[in-house]
Each structure stands twice: as structure tokens, then as C-alpha cells.
Amino acid sequence: MRVGVLALQGAFIEHEKILKELGCETIQVRKKEQLEEIDGLIIPGGESTTIGKLMEEFELAEGIKKRAKEGMPVFGTCAGLILIANDIFECSQPRLGLMNIVAHRNAFGRQVDSFETDLDVKGLGDQPLRAVFIRAPYIKEAGEGVDVLAMHDDKIVLARQGNIMAAAFHPELTDDTRIHSMFIDLIEESLNSQQSSAK
Ligand code: GLN
């Protein structure tokens, strides 16, 4: 399994490290041709306006949309969540529109720009997940087809819609690899379904 990490700006190296620990081959994606060589893509945290602009400049946006439509799993974390949303609250910045959610940028307020907390995550059993939030967004609205996987203070912070996953926090900044494993399971699912439809 080969997992791409969009490497235009932000925390891509940390994601790669965890993916490698979990046994995946990884690629730092900067060119549109590379999108054809990967089985899944992580869009990391960073600055969503910058990543969005660079994605268009490097002509990656169309390719990512095409591969996501074909069923390739895409996981957006923090700024990545904003970029995969259909809508961004009171914002017209570029986005991919892969998930039926409204993202709210910098939504936890200035006084708590960054914080850590324990989350109960659907599908991960009783052991809470330590989550790091850095000038994080949250999911203000989740539309049809979106499965809410975790909340913090009544706000949606982890969700999945088919082959697309979004986290408001930074799962690459703790030692807990369960969220990356969840994404790898999604990639495995999609590879298996491609295999069975090719038979
Ligand atoms: N505040 C950033 C943005 O709006 C996201 C922060 C992050 O990715 N840690 O793009």
C-alpha cells in the first residue's frame, strides 16, 4: 500500500513518520502525476489558504477531486479538513469540496488557540484518544451521508463520508496511531473493492 501525503506546506513529515511506522510506503505529493501512483492521500494541517493556493498553482486540485471521485480515500487533518469541505463558513477561499460538511475555521476562539483533550471516538472502544488542537476548525454542519465519529464540547471534530475522512485535530502529533490505522483500514477496504470489481 502506498500512501501519499500532500507536501506543499504544513505538517506532512509527521504524518509520513506514523504511516511508515505502520508499515506503509509513503510519497510526498507535489506533482499531479504522483496522484496516479498512490492508494490514499493525507492532506495535512498547516495554513489552509496557503495550501489551497499552492494546490491550484501546482495543478493538483483537479487531480485530487478526480481520484477521490474514483474512490481513493482522502484524509484531511485540521487545515486539510477545511480544504476537503464543501463549504467554509463565511469564507470564499479555494477548497476541494469532497465532503458534505461546513467547516468553521479558527473556530475554538483565540483564548484557546491550542489545547489538548481526550476524545471518545466511535469504533475505537473504551480507551480515549488524546487529541491536539492547534488553531483548529470544527465541523459546523454535517450533511447527509456523513458519519460523525467524535465530538468535543458539542462540536464535531472527526467524521467520515464514504472514502473521505476529516479530523479537526492533529493525530500525527501524538504516539497514538489509531486514527492513522483507521485511515489505512479505509484504504484496504477501497483496494479490496477495486479488486473484486475487476474480477
Ligand atoms: N487555522 C488554520 C487554517 O485555518 C488551520 C490550523 C492547523 O492546520 N493547525 O488553515
Side-chain angles (χ1 to χ4, degrees):
M1 174 189 305
R2 205 187 262 169
V3 186
V5 184
L6 191 67
L8 301 174
Q9 190 262 337
F12 51 89
I13 291 174
E14 292 81 355
H15 278 292
E16 262 198 301
K17 198 173 150 260
I18 295 198
L19 290 167
K20 285 200 172 113
E21 258 172 53
L22 293 172
C24 301
E25 196 185 325
T26 63
I27 301 192
Q28 294 186 3
V29 174
R30 295 191 183 87
K31 292 186 191 151
K32 58 181 175 190
E33 295 76 27
Q34 292 173 306
L35 294 170
E36 300 301 324
E37 299 165 15
I38 54 175
D39 304 309
L41 177 71
I42 293 185
I43 304 180
E47 183 53 46
S48 60
T49 46
T50 308
I51 300 177
K53 256 187 229 151
L54 291 172
M55 232 164 31
E56 298 207 328
E57 242 172 78
F58 284 57
E59 294 176 17
L60 282 156
E62 284 313 308
I64 297 173
K65 284 187 217 171
K66 175 181 153 271
R67 294 287 281 125
K69 227 180 233 160
E70 290 167 2
M72 181 182 79
V74 178
F75 180 23
T77 63
C78 204
L81 173 152
I82 298 165
L83 287 159
I84 64 176
N86 279 356
D87 274 305
I88 307 168
F89 181 62
E90 292 181 346
C91 239
S92 60
Q93 68 190 74
R95 85 280 320 254
L96 296 163
L98 306 181
M99 197 173 187
N100 194 8
I101 54 172
V102 180
H104 191 338
R105 284 188 72 192
N106 302 329
F108 285 100
R110 204 165 270 175
Q111 69 283 19
V112 281
D113 267 352
S114 303
F115 61 96
E116 286 188 35
T117 191
D118 285 335
L119 299 176
D120 279 327
V121 177
K122 195 171 154 183
L124 289 191
D126 287 343
Q127 206 191 331
L129 181 93
R130 193 75 186 155
V132 180
F133 290 77
I134 304 171
R135 294 193 70 222
Y138 62 74
I139 298 175
K140 192 173 158 52
E141 283 167 45
E144 219 185 298
V146 178
D147 193 9
V148 172
L149 301 177
M151 315 266 288
H152 170 63
D153 278 354
D154 297 330
K155 298 178 174 83
I156 304 168
V157 293
L158 181 68
R160 172 187 168 183
Q161 181 180 12
N163 56 320
I164 312 295
M165 243 175 92
F169 52 92
H170 285 261
E172 77 286 8
L173 295 183
T174 56
D175 293 335
D176 195 328
T177 55
R178 288 179 292 167
I179 297 293
H180 286 83
S181 295
M182 218 186 224
F183 184 56
I184 290 170
D185 288 348
L186 209 61
I187 300 176
E188 249 157 29
E189 246 174 62
S190 101
L191 290 174
N192 289 338
S193 75
Q194 276 169 40
Q195 254 175 19
S196 53
S197 63
K199 269 179 202 158

